[in-house]
């Protein structure tokens, strides 16, 4: 799974090779497919980085691999960090400042997801996803704020398009990501006078990602044909949008959501062809799981 970047990205991309020289990025969920490629792009283009995750080995291994992408790059993996605990992120911020000196870019990317209709979604399951996606995004910014203020840095939240309409089996994530968009908007206004920018990126159906594996509608084989641009997205599409939003080219862009989905959400829910039959069978259970 996953399609990682290498030096060819620097040769073929639209950006100056050292556009992020001297900058430091701090990424939650940085060992996951999408956030890993975001990190790779920033590192290939000159930044150093710290990636955080719950799984220590996965996070440290990913950091070691990303560090090899550019001679002289420093990439640190910090495991056992749960974004639901602000103190665990604050400790990682301390390590980042001690080792790399500063934080310029923050990606709040850690996310939890699974397909479940309301009837089978417990209160605790809803709380778990909202806590990882929304509270975790808040905690990430909370822990990084002082450093971002010093660097006049920028924040990127990883959002989604699920809450633009009603998507069955995704009430938990849709609610959380709607909150993430609202958080980003409010922080853009609060942080603007301090010179900190904050935006969201909303990936659509990105090929070879954990999200696609977890969330593809059952039996769906031709999602690419539904996408107006007639292909699934690539992790490089997300990397390019990330580089743009952190680059000086976006210095007047804050409080926005950059959708990167080939206009898929414009043609309606990916679950559309299963609806309403699939809901009728799910709702047949008379007792809703608490
Ligand atoms: N359907 C319904 N409920 C589910 C579920 C599913 N597929 N998977 C987990 N849950 C429920 C659990 O049953 C539990 O609820 P309960 O206590 O009422 O039984 C609740 O969610 C919490 O599960 P737990 O495994 O204890 O939580 P966690 O904090 O360890 O894990 C998750 C968080 C549930 C979001 C887990 O899917 C995860 O760790 N995901 C990380 C990776 C990820 O999702 N990436 C997203 C890429 S798009």
């Amino acid at each position: 799974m996953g399609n990682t970047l290498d030096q060819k990205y620097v040769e073929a991309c639209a950006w100056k090779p050292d556009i992020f020289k001297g900058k430091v990025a701090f990424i939650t969920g940085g060992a996951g497919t999408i956030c890993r490629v975001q990190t790779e792009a920033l590192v290939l283009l000159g930044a150093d980085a710290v990636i955080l995750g719950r799984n220590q080995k996965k996070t440290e291994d990913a950091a070691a691999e990303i560090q090899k992408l550019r001679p002289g790059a420093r990439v640190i993996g910090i495991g056992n960090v749960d974004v639901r605990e602000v103190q665990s992120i604050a400790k990682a911020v301390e390590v980042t400042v001690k080792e790399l000196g500063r934080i310029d870019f923050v990606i709040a990317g850690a996310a939890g997801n699974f397909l479940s209709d309301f009837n089978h979604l417990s209160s605790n399951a809803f709380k778990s996803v909202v806590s990882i996606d929304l509270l975790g995004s808040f905690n990430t910014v909370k822990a990084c704020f002082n450093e971002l203020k010093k660097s006049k840095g920028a924040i990127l939240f990883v959002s989604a398009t699920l809450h633009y309409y009603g998507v069955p089996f995704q009430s938990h994530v849709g609610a959380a990501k709607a909150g993430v968009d609202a958080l980003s908007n409010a922080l853009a206004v609060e942080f603007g006078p301090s010179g900190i920018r904050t935006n969201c990126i909303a990936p659509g159906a990105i090929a070879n990602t954990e999200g696609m594996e977890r969330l593809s509608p059952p039996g769906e084989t031709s999602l690419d044909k539904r996408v107006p641009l007639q292909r699934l997205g690539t992790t490089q599409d997300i990397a390019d949008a990330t580089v743009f939003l952190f680059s000086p080219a976006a210095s007047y862009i804050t409080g926005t959501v950059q959708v990167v989905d080939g206009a898929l959400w414009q043609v309606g829910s990916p679950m559309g062809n299963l609806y309403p039959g699939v809901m009728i069978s799910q709702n047949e259970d008379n007792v809703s799981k608490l």
Side-chain angles (χ1 to χ4, degrees):
M1 192 176 46
N3 27 32
T4 57
L5 300 181
D6 57 27
Q7 192 59 32
K8 286 190 214 111
Y9 176 72
V10 182
E11 287 151 23
C13 74
W15 318 104
K16 277 198 298 188
D18 60 354
I19 190 171
F20 296 131
K21 193 173 169 196
K23 305 288 188 189
V24 174
F26 184 94
I27 298 113
T28 67
T33 33
I34 286 196
C35 297
R36 173 171 175 153
V37 175
Q38 291 179 296
T39 310
E40 289 172 345
L42 299 176
V43 169
L44 280 162
L45 296 172
D48 290 331
V50 167
I51 61 172
L52 318 182
R54 276 200 279 174
N55 183 319
Q56 182 157 8
K57 181 164 173 10
K58 184 180 171 192
T59 307
E60 289 178 356
D61 288 353
E65 287 165 21
I66 299 168
Q67 181 167 270
K68 286 192 200 133
L69 289 175
R70 179 175 56 78
R74 288 199 64 199
V75 181
I76 300 168
I78 305 180
N80 296 318
V81 175
D82 189 325
V83 293
R84 291 170 281 195
E85 302 296 333
V86 70
Q87 286 301 344
S88 76
I89 312 175
K91 282 189 197 125
V93 168
E94 275 175 29
V95 173
T96 307
V97 174
K98 186 163 171 267
E99 297 293 326
L100 303 178
R102 54 192 289 141
I103 295 174
D104 300 275
F105 306 135
V106 172
I107 300 179
N113 201 353
F114 48 79
L115 290 174
S116 177
D117 69 304
F118 176 86
N119 217 17
H120 297 91
L121 183 71
S122 71
S123 174
N124 188 44
F126 184 86
K127 182 179 161 195
S128 296
V129 170
V130 171
S131 300
I132 296 170
D133 292 20
L134 178 54
L135 177 63
S137 294
F138 175 91
N139 285 344
T140 302
V141 177
K142 176 62 83 178
C144 293
F145 178 72
N146 290 340
E147 292 306 315
L148 286 168
K149 206 168 164 194
K150 285 184 216 157
S151 65
K152 297 195 188 304
I155 301 158
L156 198 53
F157 295 98
V158 179
S159 185
T161 58
L162 298 161
H163 49 295
Y164 299 174
Y165 41 74
V167 175
F169 302 94
Q170 289 283 269
S171 61
H172 43 321
V173 185
K177 297 296 191 184
V180 168
D181 288 2
L183 176 66
S184 177
N185 289 344
L187 296 186
V189 175
E190 289 198 22
F191 294 176
S194 299
I196 303 170
R197 296 184 299 111
T198 166
N199 292 288
C200 296
I201 200 162
I206 308 298
N208 300 318
T209 58
E210 189 177 351
M212 275 300 283
E213 275 201 354
R214 280 174 176 260
L215 307 176
S216 290
E220 176 66 71
T221 53
S222 56
L223 189 56
D224 54 336
K225 297 290 178 292
R226 279 177 57 82
V227 181
L229 286 182
Q230 296 292 286
R231 66 170 176 87
L232 297 182
T234 64
T235 45
Q236 186 172 332
D237 291 324
I238 304 298
D240 278 331
T242 302
V243 172
F244 168 63
L245 287 168
F246 282 142
S247 78
S251 62
Y252 201 53
I253 298 178
T254 190
T256 72
V257 179
Q258 179 62 63
V259 178
V260 186
D261 77 336
L264 178 60
W265 84 265
Q266 304 279 2
V267 296
S269 167
M271 299 277 183
N273 52 1
L274 300 172
Y275 187 83
V278 71
M279 291 326 306
I280 292 167
S281 61
Q282 296 289 329
N283 289 342
E284 272 168 5
D285 281 353
N286 289 327
V287 180
S288 192
K289 185 181 178 194
L290 294 180

